[in-house]
Amino acid sequence: MGNLTPLFNDEFTDLPLKRALAQVLKKRDAGAKVVGAYCSYAPVELIWAMGGVPAVLCAFSNAAIPKAEETLPANLCPLIKSSYGFIELKTCPFFEVTDAVVGETTCDGKKKMFELIAEKRPLHVLDLPQCPTNEGAAAYWRHSINGFKTFLEKSFDTSISEAALEQAIQETNRKNRLVEQILGFGAHRPAVITWQEMYDVTSYAMVTGGSEAIEKLQEILAILTERREKKMFTSPEGTKRVLLTGCPVGGDVLKVLKLVDEEGAAIVGLDSCTGLKAYAGRIEEKSGDPLLAIAQRYLQIPCACMTPNLRRMEVLKEQVDLLKPDLVIDLVLQACHTYNVEAVKVESLVRNELGTNYLKIVTDFSSQDVGQLKTRIGAALEMC
């Protein structure tokens, strides 16, 4: 890696959250309203269309959890506790600069947390239908997204036109195609992109839009193309390949990804909300009903909150076929019951249908299980 051109040539190299914050602050200083979001289901096209900027509020640090547990139950998802703890401590820089927050009904724990933070910021909760193939699901989701549009317009005394929405849709599609192309470099053998670089790219793309994002992502695509053509690899030939699926990753839970590195393997795909999920799929352009087009695309996101979550199995098949991993690691955060239960079906698919090795990891943001995880990851890789 020492002689490789970095994807981001700035002072925030390998610090994606600081880079994302710098992007948000730049937009805010230019007059943009900041709308905090917790999930890939938040239709950020409406935020971009009103000239605002989205800021991701999920936190992945163990440091704020003791504060959160003064209010929240200890056996709650660590992501929720960390996010709320930072808000209570007033040390989440993203939340501190938000003008409003959008939530969604993907998770019971988050739904109740939203009730607590509604006292701190103007907040709108989107009611997400969780049986996406049911008749009327898309129409209802469109209605819910329209309610978010009304909330933004009233909160910020603005109007979001269909033309602005259409432009935001087209820019989103261009950006998502580029991100997918970049993540697709994980298919190269040997690897020409690291998981840290993938994470950097997805974090950057979440808070940066328009021509600025397009130009930067095209630049990154050119760098990776050059690496491939010049055989400039990020891991040695024959390195075992890992696809990570499951819950969102970041901060302290990156311990799992770092342990894979330490065991001499390469993570070649991030099939999670902080990876591919937020960028897969397209919004229909010039549909005549941009809100419905947005609704239909977001219902395709394969989160475990959906039932039946057929789309996740389809995407996982596609990713295994593209990336050809030696091992699939299914990372589940403690108390995330949807992903934990769904792991049964994921394991069956990976082992029995795809013929690939599988390892389920249930963890939190503490470092107490690092030794055990290292042993389990090492053993799983030895069996590949």
Side-chain angles (χ1 to χ4, degrees):
M1 283 290 289
N3 296 323
L4 298 181
T5 301
L7 302 189
F8 292 93
N9 190 17
D10 57 29
E11 69 270 31
F12 303 116
T13 299
D14 296 334
L15 294 170
L17 294 182
K18 288 189 177 181
R19 181 183 298 110
L21 179 60
Q23 291 291 324
V24 170
L25 292 176
K26 181 172 72 172
K27 298 289 185 183
R28 182 173 181 261
D29 290 344
K33 297 297 183 181
V34 180
V35 181
Y38 284 90
C39 184
S40 299
Y41 284 105
V44 293
E45 290 72 28
L46 278 75
I47 301 171
W48 292 118
M50 74 162 195
V53 58
V56 181
L57 300 180
C58 289
F60 298 91
S61 170
N62 203 53
I65 287 179
K67 179 62 178 178
E69 289 180 348
E70 294 176 9
T71 304
L72 304 178
N75 62 347
L76 193 62
C77 164
L79 188 152
I80 298 171
K81 291 190 293 184
S82 182
S83 300
Y84 185 72
F86 276 112
I87 291 172
E88 284 288 272
L89 292 167
K90 299 186 183 298
T91 53
C92 174
F94 291 97
F95 188 84
E96 292 304 306
V97 300
T98 56
D99 299 290
V101 173
V102 57
E104 77 306 313
T105 56
T106 54
C107 162
D108 289 344
K110 281 199 296 182
K111 282 190 299 188
K112 305 314 288 184
M113 179 185 70
F114 294 149
E115 294 180 16
L116 301 180
I117 68 173
E119 301 174 3
K120 305 174 188 298
R121 290 290 188 280
L123 181 141
H124 182 81
V125 178
L126 289 152
D127 189 9
L128 176 71
Q130 293 173 22
C131 298
T133 58
N134 281 4
E135 184 178 357
Y140 182 78
W141 185 222
R142 181 203 182 279
H143 175 75
S144 189
I145 291 173
N146 186 60
F148 178 47
K149 175 176 176 287
T150 300
F151 166 80
L152 292 174
E153 291 175 328
K154 289 182 177 179
S155 297
F156 301 117
D157 191 23
T158 189
S159 178
I160 301 173
S161 67
E162 285 199 7
L165 275 176
E166 186 62 40
Q167 181 180 345
I169 287 171
Q170 293 177 16
E171 290 176 348
T172 289
N173 284 341
R174 288 185 67 193
K175 181 168 70 172
N176 287 3
R177 273 192 292 268
L178 287 166
V179 172
E180 275 198 287
Q181 285 180 274
I182 289 167
L183 298 185
F185 275 87
H188 197 275
R189 305 173 74 99
V192 295
I193 185 171
T194 68
W195 68 260
Q196 180 68 64
E197 291 175 323
M198 294 180 190
Y199 185 59
D200 284 355
V201 167
T202 56
S203 299
Y204 170 83
M206 185 62 67
V207 298
T208 312
S211 60
E212 180 182 2
I214 300 300
E215 290 172 7
K216 182 60 186 177
L217 293 172
Q218 288 174 333
E219 176 188 317
I220 290 171
L221 197 60
I223 292 172
L224 293 171
T225 300
E226 181 183 37
R227 285 185 189 176
R228 181 182 62 193
E229 291 174 351
K230 293 185 176 180
K231 301 184 185 304
M232 303 170 70
F233 306 133
T234 57
S235 61
E237 189 170 356
T239 297
K240 291 178 181 177
R241 302 163 61 82
V242 175
L243 170 62
L244 189 76
T245 187
C247 290
V249 296
D252 288 341
V253 82
L254 293 177
K255 64 186 178 184
V256 175
L257 289 75
K258 293 173 182 176
L259 287 171
V260 172
D261 285 346
E262 290 178 14
E263 292 302 310
I267 294 176
V268 296
L270 299 178
D271 176 38
S272 62
C273 304
T274 41
L276 177 66
K277 280 194 176 82
Y279 303 97
R282 301 291 173 265
I283 306 171
E284 183 182 356
E285 298 180 11
K286 300 178 181 178
S287 65
D289 188 347
L291 289 180
L292 179 60
I294 291 169
Q296 290 171 330
R297 181 263 162 179
Y298 277 84
L299 279 183
Q300 295 176 13
I301 295 175
C303 177
C305 69
M306 293 296 183
T307 186
N309 191 16
L310 304 177
R311 182 65 182 144
R312 184 182 180 197
M313 305 306 160
E314 293 171 4
V315 171
L316 201 50
K317 287 180 186 178
E318 294 168 359
Q319 287 294 290
V320 169
D321 183 60
L322 173 68
L323 302 173
K324 295 179 172 51
D326 300 292
L327 174 67
V328 173
I329 293 181
D330 195 0
L331 193 153
V332 178
L333 294 177
Q334 285 183 1
C336 186
H337 303 310
T338 50
Y339 273 101
N340 207 345
V341 173
E342 193 169 271
V344 175
K345 299 180 72 174
V346 172
E347 180 175 11
S348 177
L349 171 74
V350 172
R351 289 192 188 278
N352 302 330
E353 185 173 338
L354 303 180
T356 304
N357 294 289
Y358 172 91
L359 174 65
K360 174 184 171 183
I361 288 176
V362 181
T363 189
D364 59 10
F365 297 166
S366 74
S367 59
Q368 295 178 352
D369 60 352
V370 167
Q372 179 195 68
L373 291 177
K374 183 176 178 64
T375 300
R376 294 186 62 215
I377 291 169
L381 288 167
E382 283 184 11
M383 296 177 65
C384 294

